[in-house]
Amino acid sequence: MAKKPMYLIITKSFPPEIGGMQNVMWGLANELSKNYMIKVFADHYEDHKSFDEKVSFSIERVGGIKLLRKYRKAQLINESIKENKIGGLIADHWKSLELIKTNKKKICLIH
C-alpha cells in the first residue's frame, strides 16, 4: 500500500494561543489529520507542550526573534519538503509562503 502524502500547515496563529485564526488553523489540522498525515509548523507559544502532546498530528514550533524565526521556519519547511512525500501546503498568510521553495500545490487563506 502506498504511503499517503503529507500535508504541511504553515501558520503563525495556532492554539493554545486564543483567537479566530487560531481556531481556523486548528480546525483544518484536526479535520485533515483524520484522513491525511499532517505536520504543522507554528510559531512558538508559551505553554504549548501540554497542548501539543494531546494532538494526533505533528507540530513543530519555531521560536526566536521574529525576523530570524521567519527564515528558520522556512528552512525547516523546505527541508521537510525535500525529505517527505508532500501533497501540498496550507498557509495562514502569503507571508508564510514567500520563502518556501516548491512547486507543490499551495493553499493560502486570506482573512
Side-chain angles (χ1 to χ4, degrees):
M1 188 166 120
K3 184 178 171 184
K4 288 184 182 180
M6 178 186 297
Y7 287 85
L8 304 182
I9 295 179
I10 307 164
T11 182
K12 296 175 187 218
S13 308
F14 203 75
E17 186 179 18
I18 297 170
M21 200 60 193
Q22 290 82 348
N23 290 342
V24 169
M25 299 312 287
W26 160 252
L28 273 171
N30 193 43
E31 288 301 313
L32 288 171
S33 71
K34 294 175 182 176
N35 296 303
Y36 302 98
M37 290 181 57
I38 299 296
K39 181 160 187 174
V40 175
F41 288 88
D43 285 8
H44 183 273
Y45 188 77
E46 198 169 324
D47 300 326
H48 69 87
K49 287 182 182 169
S50 63
F51 175 87
D52 292 359
E53 291 169 354
K54 297 174 189 167
V55 301
S56 62
F57 48 87
S58 172
I59 302 174
E60 184 148 351
R61 302 280 181 167
V62 183
I65 299 167
K66 189 175 183 179
L67 178 65
L68 298 177
R69 182 174 58 228
K70 171 182 170 176
Y71 289 98
R72 178 69 183 133
K73 189 189 283 186
Q75 179 185 14
L76 291 169
I77 293 163
N78 286 325
E79 287 172 10
S80 186
I81 290 167
K82 287 179 191 173
E83 296 170 2
N84 296 288
K85 182 180 175 187
I86 303 297
L89 299 91
I90 302 169
D92 63 350
H93 196 279
W94 67 266
K95 287 183 179 180
S96 296
L97 292 171
E98 67 182 337
L99 300 174
I100 306 306
K101 298 176 175 113
T102 183
N103 292 325
K104 298 289 181 185
K105 184 188 321 183
K106 298 173 196 86
I107 299 171
C108 184
L109 305 176
I110 304 297
H111 69 287

